[in-house]
Amino acid sequence: MNNYISENKDRFLNELLDMLRIPSVSADPKFKQDVLRTAEFVKERLSEAGTDKVELCETAGYPIVYGEKIIDPSLPTVLVYGHYDVQPADPYELWNSPPFEPVIKDGKIYARGACDDKGQMYMHVKAFEVMMRNNTLPCNVKFMIEGEEEVGSSNLATFVKSNKEKLAADVILISDTGMLANDTPSITTGLRGMSYLEVEVTGPNRDLHSGLYGGAVANPINILCQMIASMHDENNHITIPGFYDNVVELSEEERAEMARAPFSLEKYKKALDLSDIHGEEGYTTMERNSIRPTLDVNGIWGGYIGEGAKTVIPSKAFAKISMRLVPDQTSEEITEKFTRHFESIAPASVKVLVKPHHGGEPVVTPTDSVAYKAASRAYEETFGVKPIPVRSGGSIPIVAMFKSELGLDSVLMGFGLDSDAIHSPNESFGVFNYMKGIETIPLFYKYYAEMSR
Amino acid sequence: MNNYISENKDRFLNELLDMLRIPSVSADPKFKQDVLRTAEFVKERLSEAGTDKVELCETAGYPIVYGEKIIDPSLPTVLVYGHYDVQPADPYELWNSPPFEPVIKDGKIYARGACDDKGQMYMHVKAFEVMMRNNTLPCNVKFMIEGEEEVGSSNLATFVKSNKEKLAADVILISDTGMLANDTPSITTGLRGMSYLEVEVTGPNRDLHSGLYGGAVANPINILCQMIASMHDENNHITIPGFYDNVVELSEEERAEMARAPFSLEKYKKALDLSDIHGEEGYTTMERNSIRPTLDVNGIWGGYIGEGAKTVIPSKAFAKISMRLVPDQTSEEITEKFTRHFESIAPASVKVLVKPHHGGEPVVTPTDSVAYKAASRAYEETFGVKPIPVRSGGSIPIVAMFKSELGLDSVLMGFGLDSDAIHSPNESFGVFNYMKGIETIPLFYKYYAEMSR
């Protein structure tokens, strides 16, 4: 099998580069045609690889690419999930090479989506091709590749609800997470949920001269800053009433287990050029970004932001705010608590508007399942060491949805690294990691089929 | 004289509209050629009106238009100051008609700069023409019209310092302020100073995924909001150490005098669609926007501000912050205190940078001078009521500079109204006010020359 992979390595890489050249930014309507082209691209590659019934399933948004290979209905079925859309690439000026003109440098593929999730999703298409060409596919496979993950998978749930039979499977396989290091593989066993909102604060009904009005009217930017600032206390606890009500605290044992994962605070600070870390009192850095909920402003704007100076008191100020959630918080609950709180702390001198954007539920996946064990064994065989189970701070809201709608657990076989800078300028994905994925995934199928007997 | 004005009213209007069509935005380099064209325009109109030695005086920035008419060196000399540059017009989408395509509607001229300061500056050019044509110019006149007022008059001081003889005069006459109402004329007797800065907060050295890092690193937007929020206390006093040290408190008598100016809080709130006002505890709205210093965020930006959602923790966040100053604060003192304070409250988890933009000193002009009395009499004659002396919240930094460099007081004959929305979308200037200015200004010259004898 490794022969087929090594013989086709260049083609596997070039096909990925071709896909990375298409700017499938789902958040920005001006890329609509490119997102659609990417769906077509995935569809064609899937059928070339050997899936049947390949189709673009229309949704209210971008289509979901579906394809399957049923070799024997009595055998278990693996449902592969991935997404072909990518994050916006701005700020463009911070990229060393154009985000949609992939380059391979020092063993890494640089492009928006290289890791998240085009690279990791495409490993599955190629791993499937490998098994087909070598006649080693040991069970049934279904592919469900969506185009709206970066905007909250808004239409996936509807699709899943109305296609339960088509999607019937025994386990869901996803590569949209990372691992600790190339010599320290890991499997993600938990994900944070999310509540993403946009807020608008309105002061006067028009922009005002800051000289003639300054001091006498509420400046919506100053007020928005005060409201945002008030949502953390001096210990960086979030002050929204009831925010922590449903947070499951880990036991000392669980925290001790987590602490066993290799982590160097010095390296962490150095990598991000931070003179000091910052976070919730009473928790370690690893805990803060995985088992604790957050409230981060992802974007803020208001007033004059052009060159030079303008002495204006703007009529409005805006912010995009997201909260990462942990078991057993729910996005609906937190969105509602945030909204009520934000409205309650607004002074009478302004009007506020809260627009919920999208949300997703936190999830913890079992480590005692056949799927987890098969994945663990596959990593151990290709990396030479047993993978460590880790809880990630990221969100893949659909994992919880798959559980509730299809009753299926997911196994999260990530091959990316923190240094891949997903969602950042100069996103990358190691050629080593891409090929390791293509090599490891078929082993998962092998052991999963064996252990399922 | 009124005959000449009424006979030429249409031309006086059309010439102003021609100037308003040139987008002389000094803050934005892309309008450079337009700013220069406007300087040429003013120069040509000045010489047509009858000034001698008209020239464009080069500076490190935009040129200063100079022209003079010396009828008799033994007579007093009035130095007219104004500016031909305008504020940026954005947000464009809020204009009912394009900002640089002036329209006259319901007796008002709508365009960026209609009032501030093209309309008010041009009243002086036309008033001078009127006196020339009617042979009623009673003293000497000098015009100094700059093109960088909206960006802090950065090069005017240098020009004034090195041209003291050329600019020698007895009083400075400026129309760059407003009056209370068309039936309640007023003369500005005080202006606030300003310290304008831009701040930058840097967290991690690159944009980060808010899931993988959220909670564990300082989010520069959240931190910036906290820093800005901390600069006002619960009574809306500014918390910068020493900020109020040099603020001159008004006597009860002075405050009572101020309170006599007609003002309706209900109308004020209604005009701005505010359910409540907001400001420093212990002061009235009129006091808050005139005799008290302020700290306003004029612009803020950071993270993802495009359409849709992006789950990012940005590397940097920015804000433009201006403080309005009152006697005897100085912009240098306050800029220094702000900078030291801002740096001192920055947590170790971020780096901050403070860039001073521009500043100006507060000023109070005498009400017992010949110039003030002449202006008062001129208004009384054309409006039928005695004008009220008021202190404005705006800033014309150069007024203090003229005093210190040339030893001259300024008389601020404003004809604009609050409703003119200067610095806002849909800036306007009443045709009534424009013509009233052209009618009133020659009377100022008449009485000023008489009383100076």
Side-chain angles (χ1 to χ4, degrees), chain A residues 192 207 211 298 308 312 320 424, chain B residues 192 207 211 298 308 312 320 424:
Chain A
R192 291 195 284 194
D207 288 5
N298 302 114
V312 65
K320 293 174 193 272
S424 298
Chain B
R192 291 195 285 194
D207 288 5
N298 302 113
V312 65
K320 293 175 193 273
S424 299

Side-chain angles (χ1 to χ4, degrees), chain A residues 133-404:
Chain A
R133 300 292 181 278
N134 294 302
N135 297 308
T136 55
L137 181 66
C139 60
N140 306 311
V141 194
K142 294 176 177 178
F143 287 89
M144 170 173 59
I145 314 298
E146 72 155 320
E148 299 181 298
E149 198 273 343
E150 301 296 1
V151 288
S153 303
S154 20
N155 298 293
L156 187 69
T158 320
F159 173 78
V160 169
K161 284 193 185 78
S162 46
N163 290 276
K164 293 188 175 178
E165 205 163 305
K166 179 199 203 83
L167 301 173
D170 297 279
V171 69
I172 293 174
L173 179 59
I174 304 175
S175 294
D176 197 15
T177 51
M179 56 182 192
L180 293 167
N182 283 350
D183 59 2
T184 317
S186 57
I187 297 175
T188 302
T189 58
L191 293 161
R192 291 195 284 194
M194 178 153 64
S195 167
Y196 198 113
L197 316 96
E198 194 165 308
V199 298
E200 173 186 311
V201 175
T202 305
N205 56 2
R206 58 181 171 92
D207 288 5
L208 299 175
H209 185 295
S210 68
L212 302 182
Y213 291 88
V217 299
N219 179 325
I221 303 178
N222 291 70
I223 298 291
L224 176 58
C225 288
Q226 286 165 15
M227 293 174 74
I228 288 170
S230 77
M231 287 193 275
H232 285 91
D233 68 14
E234 64 285 3
N235 297 319
N236 284 307
H237 293 301
I238 292 155
T239 59
I240 297 170
F243 186 81
Y244 295 99
D245 284 359
N246 300 321
V247 171
V248 177
E249 294 282 343
L250 266 65
S251 67
E252 282 314 313
E253 295 63 37
E254 290 171 298
R255 292 178 70 177
E257 169 65 25
M258 271 192 72
R260 287 183 41 252
F263 174 75
S264 158
L265 191 55
E266 278 324 300
K267 280 194 190 136
Y268 187 84
K269 282 159 64 178
K270 195 160 180 302
L272 302 175
D273 191 18
L274 298 171
S275 13
D276 197 2
I277 48 165
H278 177 98
E280 189 182 7
E281 202 64 33
Y283 294 90
T284 67
T285 291
M286 291 291 273
E287 291 171 333
R288 287 167 172 172
N289 64 21
S290 63
I291 62 166
R292 299 299 297 171
T294 69
L295 186 152
D296 272 302
V297 181
N298 302 114
I300 191 166
W301 68 102
Y304 183 68
I305 63 180
E307 250 197 271
K310 186 177 178 188
T311 51
V312 65
I313 292 176
S315 173
K316 291 175 184 290
F318 306 83
K320 293 174 193 272
I321 298 175
S322 67
M323 290 160 286
R324 295 282 169 170
L325 314 178
V326 301
D328 292 326
Q329 294 176 302
T330 71
S331 61
E332 189 186 359
E333 165 217 354
I334 294 301
T335 298
E336 196 261 333
K337 285 175 175 172
F338 175 96
T339 305
R340 206 187 314 128
H341 179 63
F342 196 80
E343 290 168 348
S344 74
I345 61 176
S349 51
V350 300
K351 302 177 189 65
V352 300
L353 184 65
V354 179
K355 295 178 222 158
H357 226 299
H358 64 272
E361 307 313 327
V363 62
V364 174
T365 64
T367 53
D368 56 2
S369 66
V370 167
Y372 181 86
K373 290 180 187 145
S376 180
R377 206 167 142 189
Y379 276 95
E380 191 171 359
E381 185 166 328
T382 49
F383 284 83
V385 280
K386 205 167 191 302
I388 301 172
V390 297
R391 281 179 61 172
S392 159
S395 303
I396 312 180
I398 41 81
V399 171
M401 188 267 289
F402 291 150
K403 178 72 177 179
S404 58

Side-chain angles (χ1 to χ4, degrees), chain A residues 31-147:
Chain A
F31 293 103
K32 182 169 188 198
Q33 289 315 314
D34 300 300
V35 181
L36 295 173
R37 271 171 57 216
T38 313
E40 279 295 340
F41 181 98
V42 174
K43 179 187 164 203
E44 284 156 28
R45 298 291 91 68
L46 265 180
S47 56
E48 285 167 11
T51 53
D52 306 323
K53 302 189 180 167
V54 193
E55 59 175 325
L56 292 190
C57 307
E58 292 310 322
T59 72
Y62 289 117
I64 290 157
V65 188
Y66 179 84
E68 63 176 42
K69 188 69 191 180
I70 307 301
I71 58 173
D72 176 350
S74 67
L75 291 172
T77 300
V78 174
L79 175 57
V80 176
Y81 165 85
H83 63 94
Y84 60 83
D85 63 321
V86 300
Q87 277 278 311
D90 57 308
Y92 281 73
E93 65 274 15
L94 297 185
W95 285 76
N96 300 327
S97 56
F100 299 109
E101 294 171 28
V103 294
I104 298 180
K105 213 171 132 242
D106 310 329
K108 290 176 161 186
I109 305 156
Y110 287 90
R112 167 58 81 227
C115 174
D116 178 16
D117 183 46
K118 284 174 172 173
Q120 295 215 79
M121 173 268 284
Y122 205 62
M123 296 182 310
H124 289 272
V125 181
K126 295 297 99 178
F128 171 73
E129 175 188 325
V130 170
M131 293 185 283
M132 289 299 287
R133 300 292 181 278
N134 294 302
N135 297 308
T136 55
L137 181 66
C139 60
N140 306 311
V141 194
K142 294 176 177 178
F143 287 89
M144 170 173 59
I145 314 298
E146 72 155 320

Side-chain angles (χ1 to χ4, degrees), chain B residues 130 217 227 254 430:
Chain B
V130 170
V217 299
M227 294 174 75
E254 290 171 297

Side-chain angles (χ1 to χ4, degrees), chain B residues 83-362:
Chain B
H83 63 93
Y84 60 82
D85 63 320
V86 300
Q87 277 279 312
D90 56 313
Y92 282 73
E93 64 273 17
L94 297 185
W95 285 76
N96 300 328
S97 58
F100 299 108
E101 295 171 27
V103 292
I104 298 180
K105 211 170 132 243
D106 310 329
K108 290 176 162 187
I109 306 155
Y110 287 89
R112 167 58 82 229
C115 174
D116 177 17
D117 183 45
K118 284 175 172 173
Q120 296 215 80
M121 172 267 285
Y122 205 61
M123 296 182 310
H124 289 272
V125 181
K126 295 296 98 178
F128 172 73
E129 175 189 324
V130 170
M131 293 185 284
M132 291 297 287
R133 300 291 181 278
N134 294 304
N135 297 309
T136 55
L137 182 65
C139 60
N140 307 309
V141 193
K142 295 176 177 178
F143 286 89
M144 171 173 57
I145 314 299
E146 74 156 317
E148 299 181 296
E149 198 273 343
E150 300 295 0
V151 288
S153 303
S154 19
N155 297 294
L156 187 69
T158 321
F159 173 78
V160 169
K161 284 193 184 77
S162 45
N163 291 278
K164 293 189 175 179
E165 207 162 306
K166 179 200 204 80
L167 301 174
D170 298 279
V171 69
I172 294 175
L173 179 59
I174 305 175
S175 295
D176 197 15
T177 50
M179 57 182 194
L180 292 168
N182 283 349
D183 58 3
T184 316
S186 58
I187 297 175
T188 301
T189 57
L191 293 161
R192 291 195 285 194
M194 179 153 64
S195 167
Y196 198 114
L197 316 96
E198 193 165 309
V199 298
E200 173 185 311
V201 175
T202 305
N205 56 2
R206 58 181 171 90
D207 288 5
L208 299 175
H209 184 295
S210 68
L212 302 182
Y213 291 89
V217 299
N219 179 325
I221 302 178
N222 290 71
I223 298 290
L224 176 58
C225 288
Q226 287 164 15
M227 294 174 75
I228 288 170
S230 77
M231 287 193 274
H232 285 93
D233 68 15
E234 63 283 5
N235 296 320
N236 284 307
H237 293 302
I238 292 155
T239 59
I240 297 170
F243 186 82
Y244 294 98
D245 285 358
N246 301 320
V247 170
V248 177
E249 293 283 344
L250 265 64
S251 67
E252 283 315 313
E253 293 66 32
E254 290 171 297
R255 293 178 70 178
E257 170 66 24
M258 272 191 72
R260 289 185 36 250
F263 175 75
S264 156
L265 191 55
E266 278 323 301
K267 280 191 189 141
Y268 187 84
K269 282 159 63 178
K270 195 159 180 301
L272 301 174
D273 190 18
L274 298 171
S275 13
D276 197 2
I277 48 165
H278 177 98
E280 188 182 6
E281 203 65 33
Y283 295 90
T284 67
T285 292
M286 291 293 273
E287 291 171 334
R288 287 167 173 172
N289 64 21
S290 64
I291 62 167
R292 298 300 296 171
T294 68
L295 187 153
D296 272 303
V297 181
N298 302 113
I300 190 166
W301 67 104
Y304 183 67
I305 63 181
E307 248 197 273
K310 186 177 178 188
T311 50
V312 65
I313 293 174
S315 173
K316 292 175 183 290
F318 307 82
K320 293 175 193 273
I321 298 175
S322 68
M323 291 161 286
R324 296 282 169 169
L325 314 179
V326 300
D328 292 325
Q329 294 176 303
T330 72
S331 62
E332 188 186 0
E333 165 217 356
I334 294 301
T335 297
E336 195 261 333
K337 285 174 176 171
F338 175 96
T339 305
R340 205 187 316 127
H341 179 63
F342 196 80
E343 290 167 349
S344 74
I345 61 175
S349 52
V350 300
K351 300 177 190 65
V352 301
L353 183 65
V354 179
K355 296 179 222 154
H357 227 300
H358 64 272
E361 308 312 328

